[in-house]
Amino acid sequence: YLYMFEALQNYFWVIEGVDHIVVEQYSVNPKKLMGVNVVSEMQGAIKAGAWSNGVKVTSMLPQTWRSIMKIKRNEDKDFKAPTKTKVLSLVDVPEEVISNVTKKPRRTPSDVYDSIAMSYAWLTKFGILKVNGKDVKFDSHIGVT
């Protein structure tokens, strides 16, 4: 949590000039209240780091961004492959990225595809339909060390 807080404090706001963050809304099932709720806690760290710099944070439901992007689950009732396919039609995402924790190559996590799809959905929601994602850079930095 501290890593994410400091990344927002020292990198994304200061260096990248981020002024608005969109997070995927996370809902807790009251019938399955066990274990640690890492996603909700991480979003708290993100919001605290962002808000301390005056950066707005907005939540977007997964159903909303998938609907906007016309992403439907596959026959296995999974959204990962359809999301990856949609994103690869828009952005040249490498099969591997450098881990910001270990600094070693790793298979690109499905969360990267989700966040890119959600970004496109957010822009589409506000009528920004022409976005060139073909020049997106990956691993040009690792962030806070």
Side-chain angles (χ1 to χ4, degrees):
Y1 305 121
L2 180 61
Y3 172 86
M4 184 56 68
F5 180 86
E6 288 181 346
L8 286 155
Q9 285 288 294
N10 303 318
Y11 186 81
F12 292 105
W13 184 72
V14 175
I15 300 194
E16 295 291 335
V18 171
D19 62 1
H20 194 137
I21 297 170
V22 181
V23 296
E24 184 177 73
Q25 184 170 320
Y26 185 77
S27 302
V28 177
N29 183 342
K31 295 179 181 173
K32 295 182 179 178
L33 294 176
M34 58 193 292
V36 177
N37 196 345
V38 176
V39 174
S40 295
E41 291 179 349
M42 183 59 78
Q43 285 195 4
I46 290 168
K47 289 175 181 178
W51 291 341
S52 71
N53 284 329
V55 176
K56 185 175 182 173
V57 180
T58 305
S59 297
M60 182 180 230
L61 287 165
Q63 301 92 312
T64 301
W65 65 259
R66 288 183 186 128
S67 174
I68 292 170
M69 296 302 291
K70 297 176 177 46
I71 297 171
K72 308 241 187 253
R73 61 185 177 181
N74 62 18
E75 58 280 350
D76 296 330
K77 298 185 178 184
D78 181 50
F79 287 101
K80 290 184 188 320
T83 300
K84 182 177 179 179
T85 299
K86 179 67 173 187
V87 167
L88 288 174
S89 74
L90 302 166
V91 179
D92 294 326
V93 180
E95 285 295 319
E96 286 189 338
V97 293
I98 304 298
S99 168
N100 58 335
V101 176
T102 67
K103 314 290 190 263
K104 295 180 180 173
R106 64 177 286 208
R107 172 174 241 128
T108 301
S110 61
D111 289 341
V112 169
Y113 299 102
D114 289 353
S115 63
I116 293 170
M118 191 169 66
S119 299
Y120 269 84
W122 183 259
L123 294 171
T124 301
K125 179 179 175 181
F126 291 101
I128 301 170
L129 305 176
K130 293 187 178 190
V131 178
N132 179 2
K134 294 299 179 181
D135 295 327
V136 174
K137 293 184 174 120
F138 289 84
D139 299 327
S140 61
H141 71 284
I142 305 231
V144 177
T145 56

